[in-house]
Structure formats: C-alpha cells, structure tokens
Amino acid sequence: MSNALKTRKPLIPPPVAAVMSAIVPGLGQLLSFRVRRGLLLLFSFVSIVGLFIWRLTILAHREVTFGDQFVKSFSRQPAFVIFICALVVALWVWIIVDAYKMAKGKKDKGAGIFALVLVLFFSLGWQISEINVYKMVKEFPEAWPPLSRILWPWEAAVTRDTSSVEAEAAILADDSVNPPAAPEYIEGKPYLKSTPTFGNMSTLDKKNLAVKGSVLHLEGSGFEPDTLTYIFWEDSIGNEFRPRQDGDYVSFVTDADGSFVFDLVMPYRLTPPSAVGQQIHHVHVRQTSDVGPLKASEPLKLTIVLMLETIFMGMMATFFGIILAIPLSFLAARNMMSGSWITMAIYWIIRTIFNITRSIEPMIWALIAVVWVGLGPFAGIIALTIHTIAALGKLYSESIESIDPGPIEAIQATGANKLQTIMFAVVPQMIPPFVSFTIYRWDINVRMSTVIGMVGGGGIGFLLVQYIRLLDYKSAGIAVWFIAVTVAILDYVSSKIREKFI
Amino acid sequence: MLEIRNLTKIYNDGTEALKNISFKVEDGEFLVIIGLSGSGKSTLLRCINRLIEPTEGEILWNGKDIAKADGKSLREARRQIGMIFQHFNLVKRSSVMTNILAGRLGYVKPSSSLLHHFPASDRKKAFEAMEMVGITDQAEKRADELSGGQQQRVGIARALMQDPLMILADEPVASLDPVLAHSILGYLDEINKKRDITIMCSLHYLDLVQQYSSRVIGLRDGNLVYEGSNAEIRRMTDGEFKEIYGEEAVRVNAGSLTGGIENE
C-alpha cells in the first residue's frame, strides 16, 4: 500500500462509515482507505461466521432449517454456542466502532480487535478439533489398567515350564444309542469317569436364551491333592475350549487324596451342519503347575529378535543411503554445478527430486515398498533408504555449498586437476559435517524403523501393533520399553560421536 | 616475462572490474599493485592464473597466452605461478605437511596423489621449504592450530613447492599485524632476490610499498592510473596519491608502520 493511499482523506463521514461496517463488516474501514485493515476484518468476520454455521450444521445434522439447527446445537453444546455468539456480536460492534474511528482519521493502529479475532478462531478450533479435557480426565481410570501394564510389563517377560496332569472321558452328544464306554482304569494314573457318557448339549431357544443341557456326574482320582483343577471341553471336531458355568470357568479343588466329584452341565456348542453320524465330544480334567526355573517368555524373545532386526534395518538403510547420497549430493551442490547450463539443469532436477522425496514420510514410502517387495524388513529398508538419500543428499549438498572456497582456489592455483582439487580442498572440509549428519541420520533411521513395521515394513513396530490389537498390553509394554531404551542409548552414543568430529 | 594486453573483466552482474588494462612485468621484479578495495587488484591477480576467467585481452606468459590456455596447458602455466592469499587459504583440517605437499599436485601422478602418496623427493623438498620459512617443528600439526603468521608461512612454503617462476600475492599481510607483515614481506623479498622469482603483490600500506617494491602500479575503478618505480613512489605527490585513492583519502604519515591507509 502506498503512502499516498494512507494519507488520503476518508471518503465518508464517521457515522456513515459506522453504518457501512454494520451492514458489511470492514466496508467502513475500506472506504476510509484502511484497505488492508478493512479486508482483513471482512475476511475474518465472514470466515468466523461461516465456520460457526458449519459447526452448527454438524452438531444438528438431522435438522433441516437453520432455526432448528441452532436450537438443537444450543441444547447439545450451550457453552460453545453462547460463547461464540457473544464474541461474534462483540466483534461486530467493535468493527462498527473501529470504522467510526478510522473514518475520523485516527492514526492509532488498534490491534485489540485482531486479538478478539484470534480468540474467536481459537475457540472455533477448540470445538472443531473436538478437544475434550473433561472426557480426558474422567476416562483416565479406565485407561489406567492397560496403561499400567505398558508402564510395567515385566511379569510377562518371564515364564516357567508347566507340567500337567490330565484325564479325559468320551461323551456322546444329543444321542443315547451306543454311548462310549468309560475309560479303562490304570493303577497310579489319573482317572476320570462320567455318568452317564451321553447327554444333550446346552442350546439356545428362539429368544436366544440358554437352555441347560444334561448334567454329567464326573468322578476322578489319582490327581494332585488340594490343587486347583480345570475342566476343558473338546468338541466332535477336536476344538478345545473352557466351558463356563454361571459365568465362570469351570474349576474346583481336588481333595486330600487327589480325588473329586463334580456335576458338569454339558456346554453350548454349535455343531457344524455338515456333521453327520454320532458326535463324540471329550471332557478333559486338567491340573497344571509351574515347574523349573524362570526363563524368557515368548514376547520377550520376539521383542529382542525384532529389536535387533530394527537396529539392523536402520543401519542398512543408512548405509545404502550414504552410498547413493554422496555422489548425488555433489550434483545437487550449486558451487559444484555452476559450470554450464547443462550442469545447472542437473542441479535443479536433483534438487527438485530431493525435495519431493523428502517431503513424503518414510511410512508412506513403506506402504509403496510393501506393494513392491512384499511385507517384511526389506520393504522397510527400501522406504528408509529412499528417504535417507533425499534427506542426506540435501544436508550433504548444503554443506558442500557452505565450504570455504579459499582452499579450492589455492589448490587450483597449484596446477591441480579437478579430481585432485576435490580430494585435497573439498573432501577434508566435508568430513566433519558428513560424519555428523550421517550419525544423526542413523539415529533417525532406527527411530523410524521402530514404527515403519506398523505398515508392514518389518521391525519391532509390526510386533507392537499386533500386541496392541490383541489387547496384550504387557507384551506391548515390553516392546515399548525396548524401543525407548534403544533410542535413548542411540541418542547418547550418536551425540557423543558427533561431538568428537566437530 | 608477463605481459598483460587490454585485459578486461566484466562480472555476470555487470560490474566492470578491469577496464582494458595493459602492462608488463619483467623477470625478477617485485611489482606492487596499490589501490582501494574494489579497485580490481584481486581480480587482476586472479585473472593471471585464471582463477577468474578474463572477459577479454591477452595474458602473455613467456610468450604463451594464458587467457587461451586450457586443460593441461593451463595447469602447466599455473604450476609455474605460485599464489599466496590474504586469508592464507590453507586446508584447515589437514596437516601442515599435507598443505605444503599440495604445492606439488601439478607435478605428481594424479592417481597416486589422490591417495596422498608423494615421492620421497617431494617430502624432502617440503622440509626444505619449511626450513626456509622457519616452521619445521609444525609439520604434523593441523593447519588451523597455527597462528596467522605461521599459516601465511605455510602458504609461502606451498607456493615454493611449485618451483615457481613467479608468485602472485593477494594482500598477503592484510590479515596480519605490522611486525608479522614485515616478516612475511621479508620472506617474499628474500625469495625475490635470492631465488630470482618474480613477485606480484597487492598491498595497502604505503610504507611497505615503499620499502619492498621495485616497481608500483596503481588501480582505481578498474583503470590503470599509476605506474612508477620505487624511487618515484618514495617521491609520490599528494596529487598522484589522490589520483589512486580518491579525493577523500587522507595521506597519513608514510614513515610509520601503524600509519596505513584505512579504507575498509
């Protein structure tokens, strides 16, 4: 805006300017030659009102007319609607007052009105992004159990061998012809006898209510005395499950002789329609106990294996990245390529490719790489390598651009050729930034490879996502701990190495 | 012998740094170039060994035109012309020895030099050069551990490694204090007198010019505005002085070391 425009006299008297701004907010300012102020106020007012109306239609999306939408929204979020309405009215009044002042030719900048505009935008932003502090606080207790398992998962890190004592009996379901015989009794072995060895399974009636099946009278002996014992049911196609009775898994404690007597209601089990002939189920009685020393659990072992895979993914990606980024970075350095228009064209092309490639996150490259080479760490390495080439290429080329041209001049003046000049004047200057950026990138790559598995790129992220989806928060916690510790160590080591080289 | 004919340099941004300059440098001269910063001194020196491409004109070096030389012949001309710089232009992270050996790059086999392999004779030569400028005990230090005066001596040793016929010195003492300035110019003087190497040097301090030059040329805005012998510069009038340094320049006491011409 030119000075001539600023000093020009307002076109209209103050009261008219106020009325103008009452009809179209900002118009009064515009006509007083406060063009930027007027436009800014107009755009702010229009977008605030527009956003507000949009939120109302979302809050009350079933209502058709604006009036109904307003009433419905008000009933749902009264604080939000009142607050915004009040502020919008305040802004409108302020714009009118402001127009009056501007038309009077006030020099005063008056930034307060823009503070109000900002408050309005932030209030709308608060509602649009569905920030809900109340919910966050209220629901914390529910989040605590899984969270606490993630924070302290170490009970799941160890396990012990188990030994089990078990006996089974065959049961004929929904039939009574030729029931299976009781198992043969062998001295010294656990023994289970069911009376009878046939009966009806539990079923569901038309209202989906459970109809209890026949009761089996179970007698057993030869088990561990005074030990918690579980019953398992194996259906006619060999699938085992733990039946419930009155909501709990069926269990009991054996007596001092290792014997028991228990009445079991035959559980509900869908029989596949293709099943023909006699349906023989089995009932198992099982005692398990931990024996032997503590040892690493399966999640712990898997976590360690995949953590190693992750570190090596980061390492390989950094390695391939460096190898490809070094030559490319010379092509992307302006001071190396300013020779002719052909080299400058190469410079621009490589620069552009670097910028585009770098702006796409490794996670997205991983999605593409998974399509290319399939699930697994190789896809992750490809994704990280692509991103590393672009990121390191840019950093390298910028440090090549910022080297001291003096030594290059001096080495050229001795009659050295181009390659000698690079080896003697450029390379020694490049070593500290190259080492520093490379270590930094290795650090980033390992951190990135911990999440790249979430989209199938291998590494520990894959495991972590699986555990979370299985609600196995303790195992997930082990993975989280390993990631955190590894990243922290790497951070420390890389900063130490970088210090040495600068 | 060096002969400059009608040398003109116009930079890409349109700046005319040198305007149709012609002069001769006889073998064994200590030619000093004076002039304000921006008058074209550095451009002139860098055009001679083509660190800057001249726009027009001829640079006849012992009969051959350096301005038209390319590839191998340019490198051969360059290695006959050593150069030292205001900011020394050493490779800071390399050792003093490596910096000095770099002066032989124009002579050694390119393939072996890339692996920093130099013949034993070159290493011997490097020690001789260090001895000449008195830095033998610094050989294994990193260049940036040295003081300014020592760095410039490394610069001189590097130039000497080229077995040069001429040394170009671009304000070699402008970053040094007056005592060091005398010591550095003393080495150049010694090289000039004992080894019969032509020196072409740009300087700011008039008393240094009067003490060391055998002949002086003056540049102003890219034009050659003064040419005179050592005797003539000792008798220089205020009029001639202002011709080179402009109307605003005040002539300070030429006899004192600290009384330089401050123009930066």
Side-chain angles (χ1 to χ4, degrees):
Chain A
M1 205 166 70
S2 69
N3 280 331
L5 212 58
K6 258 186 184 165
T7 51
R8 228 188 286 176
K9 282 207 160 173
L11 275 181
I12 42 172
V16 182
V19 173
M20 289 289 194
S21 268
I23 301 163
V24 180
L27 186 59
Q29 284 87 339
L30 272 174
L31 294 174
S32 309
F33 292 108
R34 298 299 186 103
V35 177
R36 239 185 317 181
R37 192 182 183 88
L39 286 179
L40 207 55
L41 288 174
L42 177 62
F43 283 128
S44 305
F45 193 84
V46 169
S47 32
I48 285 167
V49 171
L51 285 170
F52 183 48
I53 292 171
W54 169 57
R55 290 320 286 181
L56 292 185
T57 58
I58 286 188
L59 275 173
H61 59 96
R62 283 179 208 279
E63 308 299 332
V64 182
T65 66
F66 178 71
D68 291 344
Q69 282 176 350
F70 189 85
V71 172
K72 180 75 182 287
S73 304
F74 182 78
S75 69
R76 292 187 63 186
Q77 291 193 358
F80 167 68
V81 174
I82 291 173
F83 187 66
I84 297 291
C85 281
L87 287 190
V88 166
V89 171
L91 180 64
W92 181 66
V93 173
W94 200 337
I95 290 174
I96 294 169
V97 175
D98 188 68
Y100 185 86
K101 279 190 193 161
M102 292 302 136
K104 250 187 160 176
K106 276 222 168 184
K107 289 263 152 46
D108 167 39
K109 291 250 162 52
I113 193 164
F114 293 108
L116 180 61
V117 168
L118 276 183
V119 168
L120 266 161
F121 273 118
F122 273 97
S123 315
L124 284 163
W126 185 278
Q127 202 267 346
I128 289 170
S129 47
E130 296 177 18
I131 292 171
N132 193 339
V133 178
Y134 171 71
K135 187 173 172 185
M136 196 172 106
V137 174
K138 195 190 81 174
E139 296 191 355
F140 183 73
E142 282 181 52
W144 178 242
L147 213 58
S148 64
R149 281 181 205 131
I150 287 175
L151 288 176
W152 196 253
W154 300 112
E155 295 104 74
V158 287
T159 180
R160 299 168 82 170
D161 281 330
T162 56
S163 81
S164 65
V165 179
E166 167 168 6
E168 63 169 83
I171 309 290
L172 176 63
D174 305 329
D175 202 351
S176 57
V177 185
N178 291 330
E184 194 185 340
Y185 177 78
I186 301 165
E187 183 66 42
K189 293 262 170 147
Y191 180 70
L192 173 67
K193 185 180 172 226
S194 171
T195 322
T197 55
F198 60 90
N200 295 321
M201 302 290 284
S202 296
T203 50
L204 296 178
D205 66 10
K206 280 180 185 149
K207 287 181 185 161
N208 261 0
L209 295 172
V211 177
K212 281 195 175 174
S214 320
V215 175
L216 301 175
H217 183 69
L218 301 179
E219 285 172 73
S221 60
F223 286 84
E224 295 287 330
D226 302 317
T227 304
L228 187 61
T229 308
Y230 294 100
I231 290 181
F232 288 77
W233 191 274
E234 183 190 335
D235 69 13
S236 55
I237 53 172
N239 288 333
E240 201 180 82
F241 63 97
R242 289 176 72 180
R244 289 171 191 263
Q245 213 151 291
D246 303 321
D248 292 324
Y249 288 126
V250 179
S251 67
F252 50 83
V253 177
T254 49
D255 65 17
D257 301 330
S259 304
F260 65 87
V261 176
F262 190 80
D263 288 332
L264 175 72
V265 178
M266 286 175 71
Y268 168 77
R269 190 68 171 171
L270 266 179
T271 310
S274 57
V276 288
Q278 284 199 320
Q279 300 297 310
I280 303 290
H281 295 232
H282 290 85
V283 58
H284 295 255
V285 171
R286 193 175 292 160
Q287 291 176 323
T288 53
S289 53
D290 291 337
V291 292
L294 288 174
K295 56 178 198 172
S297 68
E298 200 59 23
L300 182 67
K301 282 190 212 158
L302 266 176
T303 301
I304 292 170
V305 166
L306 283 169
M307 198 68 236
L308 282 174
E309 182 181 299
T310 305
I311 293 170
F312 278 97
M313 269 170 68
M315 205 176 88
M316 296 315 283
T318 314
F319 174 70
F320 293 133
I322 295 168
I323 288 186
L324 295 164
I326 286 177
L328 288 173
S329 65
F330 279 89
L331 300 180
R334 186 182 272 274
N335 54 347
M336 296 283 127
M337 301 299 283
S338 55
S340 69
W341 68 269
I342 300 174
T343 53
M344 275 313 275
I346 297 173
Y347 160 83
W348 279 112
I349 292 168
I350 304 238
R351 261 283 143 108
T352 312
I353 294 174
F354 276 177
N355 283 337
I356 295 171
T357 313
R358 213 165 35 87
S359 62
I360 299 170
E361 280 290 304
M363 291 286 262
I364 295 163
W365 284 117
L367 285 169
I368 297 165
V370 163
V371 178
W372 183 5
V373 297
L375 292 168
F378 186 44
I381 289 172
I382 289 178
L384 287 171
T385 303
I386 291 172
H387 200 260
T388 302
I389 293 168
L392 277 185
K394 190 176 150 66
L395 289 173
Y396 286 173
S397 62
E398 270 166 12
S399 54
I400 294 172
E401 281 174 2
S402 67
I403 60 172
D404 179 6
I408 299 177
E409 213 178 38
I411 299 295
Q412 275 179 342
T414 65
N417 67 22
K418 189 124 192 159
L419 210 57
Q420 287 174 322
T421 309
I422 289 179
M423 277 309 285
F424 276 80
V426 180
V427 170
Q429 293 194 60
M430 295 313 310
I431 287 171
F434 267 48
V435 170
S436 163
F437 289 139
T438 306
I439 302 272
Y440 176 58
R441 190 64 210 181
W442 181 48
D443 187 359
I444 291 179
N445 276 350
V446 173
R447 240 180 303 154
M448 275 288 170
S449 53
T450 59
V451 291
I452 219 153
M454 294 185 182
V455 292
I460 200 164
F462 191 55
L463 189 70
L464 179 60
V465 157
Q466 282 210 351
Y467 282 141
I468 289 175
R469 287 188 183 146
L470 290 169
L471 309 184
D472 185 354
Y473 291 112
K474 279 198 175 146
S475 303
I478 294 172
V480 169
W481 268 89
F482 266 79
I483 291 171
V485 170
T486 308
V487 169
I489 291 173
L490 212 67
D491 229 33
Y492 179 77
V493 171
S494 83
S495 72
K496 282 283 155 208
I497 297 177
R498 273 186 287 154
E499 262 171 35
K500 281 226 154 165
F501 274 89
I502 293 170
Chain B
M1 194 186 76
L2 180 73
E3 186 179 356
I4 308 288
R5 282 188 194 158
N6 308 102
L7 185 65
T8 298
K9 170 64 189 177
I10 303 168
Y11 284 105
N12 286 338
D13 62 1
T15 316
E16 282 186 72
L18 296 175
K19 296 167 188 163
N20 200 24
I21 285 181
S22 301
F23 64 94
K24 276 188 190 174
V25 188
E26 299 293 339
D27 288 345
E29 271 194 287
F30 196 123
L31 179 74
V32 170
I33 308 165
I34 56 172
L36 286 169
S37 295
S39 61
K41 302 189 301 291
S42 292
T43 307
L44 174 61
L45 287 169
R46 282 173 170 71
C47 278
I48 290 170
N49 64 0
R50 290 267 301 278
L51 289 179
I52 290 174
E53 290 296 323
T55 312
E56 258 175 62
E58 291 169 31
I59 301 157
L60 297 172
W61 170 244
N62 294 332
K64 280 187 193 163
D65 187 0
I66 294 179
K68 292 197 177 62
D70 57 351
K72 202 160 188 261
S73 60
L74 173 62
R75 290 203 296 275
E76 259 166 29
R78 275 177 174 171
R79 74 181 194 194
Q80 295 174 350
I81 305 174
M83 188 161 189
I84 59 178
F85 303 84
Q86 178 183 353
H87 298 294
F88 326 129
N89 289 2
L90 303 181
V91 182
K92 291 194 177 60
R93 288 182 58 82
S94 298
S95 69
V96 168
M97 189 65 179
T98 308
N99 269 288
I100 292 175
L101 282 171
R104 293 303 288 175
L105 284 174
Y107 291 91
V108 295
K109 235 171 72 191
S111 52
S112 56
S113 72
L114 290 183
L115 301 168
H116 287 233
H117 188 271
F118 288 87
S121 58
D122 284 352
R123 291 185 179 271
K124 198 168 156 258
K125 206 177 172 62
F127 273 108
E128 283 164 13
M130 280 190 267
E131 218 163 285
M132 195 244 143
V133 292
I135 47 167
T136 324
D137 49 339
Q138 317 284 349
E140 293 312 318
K141 278 194 184 165
R142 255 172 60 163
D144 56 3
E145 290 172 22
L146 269 51
S147 69
Q150 287 173 323
Q151 291 198 29
Q152 193 58 293
R153 289 192 242 172
V154 176
I156 292 172
R158 176 171 65 190
L160 284 177
M161 289 296 280
Q162 294 175 232
D163 290 329
L165 302 175
M166 179 166 75
I167 289 180
L168 307 173
D170 182 20
E171 300 190 21
V173 297
S175 310
L176 301 173
D177 66 49
V179 177
L180 283 171
H182 271 296
S183 124
I184 294 298
L185 285 171
Y187 285 123
L188 289 182
D189 199 40
E190 192 186 333
I191 292 164
N192 176 246
K193 298 223 161 70
K194 289 196 180 151
R195 305 198 179 195
D196 204 24
I197 293 171
T198 313
I199 307 278
M200 218 177 140
C201 174
S202 60
L203 286 176
H204 272 313
Y205 292 95
L206 200 61
D207 57 310
L208 294 177
V209 179
Q210 288 170 337
Q211 186 173 345
Y212 293 101
S213 66
S214 66
R215 201 157 66 86
V216 177
I217 58 172
L219 291 181
R220 187 178 171 194
D221 297 331
N223 293 304
L224 193 68
V225 293
Y226 179 83
E227 223 177 327
S229 67
N230 179 275
E232 280 167 325
I233 194 129
R234 284 179 188 274
R235 294 193 305 267
M236 196 183 211
T237 62
D238 276 2
E240 285 171 320
F241 185 75
K242 283 187 174 168
E243 179 69 19
I244 303 165
Y245 281 100
E247 288 300 317
E248 314 85 59
V250 183
R251 186 171 183 180
V252 287
N253 181 9
S256 98
L257 279 174
T258 47
I261 296 151
E262 302 294 337
N263 50 30
E264 282 184 282

